[in-house]
Amino acid sequence: MIKPSIKTLTLKSLINFLLILALLTVVIAGINFRALSTSAIENQALAHAKLVRAGLTAHMKGGIIDKRDYYLDEIRQLHEVHSLEIIRGPAVMAQFGAGTDHEKKIDEITAPVFASKQPLFIIDEFTLTPTIRAIIPYIASREGNLNCLSCHQVEEGTVLGAVDIVMDVSDYQRWGAMVLVGIVVISAIFLALILMNTIRAIQKHVQQPLEKLIRKADIAYRSQVPVKADQFETREFVHVVNELNLFNNDIIAHQDMLRQKNEELEALNYEIESTLRETVYTM
């Protein structure tokens, strides 16, 4: 079985780590951008609702409230507005009547807005043309220039009505997609740069020095000359070179001792052979 190289193991571990990091980055960025986009969309819907409120109040104070449909039609012509409807509250109906046929009645979706006095936002983002439906209550108040209590005989804090507006949010979806694509592209570029730099670092500081050490060790063993440690840049390879030189010195010392023992053995064999020859001659 072929064992993987250091470079392969390092790159595999690094790629797994970087992919997880990139995925977490994209997910966190997507969640944060979605939250920002949702807040921007809701603020835009609130701005349109305030514009409608200001216009209706101005029509009422100017005595031309019966012509409000012209104003609302102009608002409906805005390119991001799909629909715009006014919901008259019970207190206003009690004072001014049921209103026109163009005004919307309270239903099961809009009723909670009158009860809680809080805006309701319904975002449909998983379609080709994503939209937001904002149901925003108009609450009677004396504060600001739009003093509702000057025309409406209700207590402060009473819900006078609500605006039900549906707006196109395709632009926000496109911006979000562009941001996510940009994050993915940038992450991929950084991932590629990190991998390239890692491969270069492994080749420069691990693979090449290791191949060089193997060649130098073979030359040092054959020529019985120690490897020079200053040829290597990293502390780990310098330590390996020093240990290799010590190992070579031990081998050389054992070889010298073995050579000396062989020479002594040859001398002893020669002496034995000479003694036997003389003995034979004597006999």
Side-chain angles (χ1 to χ4, degrees):
M1 181 178 179
I2 300 176
K3 299 292 185 179
S5 63
I6 296 176
K7 181 168 66 174
T8 301
L9 293 176
T10 303
L11 290 179
K12 183 178 180 180
S13 177
L14 183 61
I15 289 174
N16 292 335
F17 173 76
L18 291 178
L19 286 177
I20 294 174
L21 181 61
L23 179 62
L24 290 176
T25 301
V26 172
V27 170
I28 294 174
I31 293 174
N32 289 335
F33 187 81
R34 184 182 183 279
L36 292 175
S37 299
T38 301
S39 178
I41 293 171
E42 293 176 355
N43 289 335
Q44 185 178 10
L46 287 171
H48 280 73
K50 290 180 180 179
L51 180 64
V52 172
R53 177 184 179 182
L56 294 178
T57 302
H59 278 67
M60 180 171 288
K61 289 185 176 181
I64 54 173
I65 191 63
D66 56 331
K67 301 184 183 301
R68 60 187 180 275
D69 289 337
Y70 296 101
Y71 171 72
L72 295 176
D73 288 338
E74 291 296 325
I75 299 295
R76 293 187 182 101
Q77 296 304 314
L78 297 176
H79 74 279
E80 71 270 12
V81 178
H82 282 190
S83 65
L84 173 64
E85 295 179 294
I86 302 299
I87 306 172
R88 179 169 292 202
V92 177
M93 293 175 62
Q95 182 179 356
F96 296 103
T100 65
D101 295 335
H102 298 289
E103 294 181 348
K104 186 178 180 180
K105 307 300 182 183
I106 299 176
D107 55 23
E108 65 275 5
I109 297 178
T110 58
V113 175
F114 285 84
S116 64
K117 301 181 182 181
Q118 297 294 326
L120 174 63
F121 299 98
I122 304 173
I123 300 178
D124 184 11
E125 57 184 333
F126 301 106
T127 60
L128 296 177
T129 55
T131 59
I132 179 174
R133 181 182 179 185
I135 306 172
I136 302 168
Y138 289 156
I139 300 175
S141 175
R142 292 189 178 90
E143 298 179 357
N145 296 326
L146 303 178
N147 186 359
C148 304
L149 300 183
S150 62
C151 300
H152 297 281
Q153 298 176 0
V154 296
E155 297 181 357
E156 185 171 4
T158 301
V159 180
L160 301 175
V163 59
D164 189 349
I165 182 171
V166 178
M167 299 177 57
D168 183 6
V169 294
S170 300
D171 291 340
Y172 291 95
Q173 188 183 56
R174 285 192 293 270
W175 295 340
M178 291 175 61
V179 169
L180 289 180
V181 169
I183 293 175
V184 171
V185 171
I186 293 175
S187 299
I189 292 174
F190 273 100
L191 178 62
L193 292 175
I194 292 173
L195 290 178
M196 291 174 59
N197 183 70
T198 303
I199 293 174
R200 180 177 175 274
I202 292 174
Q203 290 179 342
K204 181 179 180 181
H205 299 293
V206 179
Q207 184 176 357
Q208 294 176 358
L210 185 58
E211 294 173 352
K212 181 179 179 181
L213 178 61
I214 294 173
R215 293 194 304 270
K216 295 293 183 181
D218 183 65
I219 295 173
Y221 175 75
R222 295 178 182 277
S223 62
Q224 298 185 358
V225 177
V227 181
K228 295 182 180 179
D230 56 2
Q231 299 179 7
F232 299 90
E233 298 179 356
T234 58
R235 182 174 62 248
E236 289 79 7
F237 275 98
V238 171
H239 177 71
V240 172
V241 168
N242 292 331
E243 293 295 328
L244 181 62
N245 288 333
L246 292 175
F247 180 71
N248 281 340
N249 291 335
D250 289 340
I251 292 178
I252 292 172
H254 283 83
Q255 286 179 344
D256 291 340
M257 183 176 64
L258 182 60
R259 187 180 302 110
Q260 182 180 0
K261 294 297 183 182
N262 287 334
E263 291 175 355
E264 292 177 356
L265 181 59
E266 290 178 358
L268 181 60
N269 287 336
Y270 180 77
E271 183 178 354
I272 293 173
E273 184 179 355
S274 299
T275 302
L276 288 175
R277 186 181 299 112
E278 291 178 359
T279 302
V280 172
Y281 289 160
T282 301
M283 290 176 63

